Amino acid sequence: DEAGHALAAELSSAGALVVYIHCDVADKAEVDAAVAATTAALGTVDGLVNNAGLGMRAIRDNFLQDPPLFWQAAPDAFADIIQTNVVGPFFMARACVPLMVAQGFGRLVNVSTSQSTMVRSGYSPYGPSKAGLEALSVVWAKDLAGTGVTVNVLLPGGASATDMLPPNTPKEKLLPPQQMRAPIVWLMSDASSAHTGERYSAKDWPEHLSDEAAATRARSATQEIPHIM
């Protein structure tokens, strides 16, 4: 929360209009209040990036060294991951999408993970939660066809330097979170209006290319359901 306020202050000092709202996406009442506060401050909601999530540290802090088998997960921790990673994006989208449909424009980006992680031993329920989110993304894109609201999936393309990993994880091979910036900006823009129900890897987004060329390089083959085998 303190870091969020600090970032908001930094952006505001640079001239950006920023409203910082702390919200637990797994709590519907908090989500509804956050979206209401956003529209009160900004007048509308044009884009939603579902990035909040819980990882395997909720199950076991040293999960990389000692991967938990699925039956070793505490039931409450298992449920928290599903609630945050699957139900949370639904709560957020449910609160924002009607506003977007009413104005004929909106962008949803659901942050996912690699397909191998979805079925990796020791990654239950985190991996399956992201497979569920990708399936939801396909359905939402179909439900919103013709409304001016698009839904796409973006994944880092590798392990990112976030607190979802144990603090002793070697940083040399981790991807910087900033690599998500360029694809998110494009996916939020008018330029991506013809693209929905698609999947992109930020690691494969060459920033030296034009946005369309970079998007083509980063786009996965179209598929009806996550290809996890």
Side-chain angles (χ1 to χ4, degrees):
D1 195 29
E2 183 178 336
H5 283 294
L7 178 59
E10 178 184 343
L11 294 172
S12 295
S13 66
L17 175 59
V18 180
V19 178
Y20 175 74
I21 302 166
H22 185 83
C23 169
D24 179 0
V25 299
D27 186 316
K28 181 180 177 299
E30 287 197 25
V31 167
D32 291 344
V35 174
T38 300
T39 56
L42 303 178
T44 185
V45 175
D46 293 326
L48 168 65
V49 179
N50 277 315
N51 184 51
L54 278 180
M56 288 304 297
R57 288 186 70 188
I59 302 293
R60 180 176 291 172
D61 195 55
N62 65 335
F63 71 94
L64 291 176
Q65 294 76 30
D66 185 17
L69 302 174
F70 76 88
W71 64 86
Q72 296 172 332
D76 287 348
F78 188 104
D80 286 344
I81 291 175
I82 297 298
Q83 184 73 14
T84 301
N85 295 1
V86 181
V87 181
F90 163 69
F91 284 162
M92 290 298 304
R94 185 179 184 275
C96 294
V97 162
L99 305 173
M100 298 177 181
V101 171
Q103 67 190 11
F105 177 90
R107 300 285 183 264
L108 270 67
V109 174
N110 291 326
V111 176
S112 186
T113 191
S114 66
Q115 293 169 343
S116 61
T117 299
M118 294 178 187
V119 291
R120 181 175 298 161
S121 176
Y123 273 69
S124 173
Y126 175 74
S129 76
K130 291 301 186 178
L133 180 60
E134 291 211 22
L136 284 175
S137 302
V138 174
V139 174
W140 294 355
K142 292 177 179 179
D143 288 351
L144 287 164
T147 65
V149 182
T150 64
V151 184
N152 291 288
V153 168
L154 177 66
L155 59 146
S160 294
T162 71
D163 59 8
M164 294 179 74
L165 294 173
N168 61 348
T169 304
K171 300 296 189 290
E172 297 78 25
K173 296 183 179 181
L174 297 180
L175 303 172
Q178 292 85 349
Q179 72 172 1
M180 303 287 278
R181 183 185 302 146
I184 285 177
V185 169
W186 181 76
L187 287 167
M188 289 285 121
S189 72
D190 289 330
S192 67
S193 59
H195 301 275
T196 190
E198 297 176 346
R199 187 176 196 266
Y200 296 84
S201 170
K203 181 182 179 181
D204 298 323
W205 185 283
E207 293 199 35
H208 66 280
L209 298 180
S210 68
D211 286 340
E212 282 290 344
T216 299
R217 292 275 290 272
R219 188 180 302 123
S220 300
T222 301
Q223 52 197 20
E224 284 296 304
I225 59 175
H227 181 69
I228 58 177
M229 297 300 293

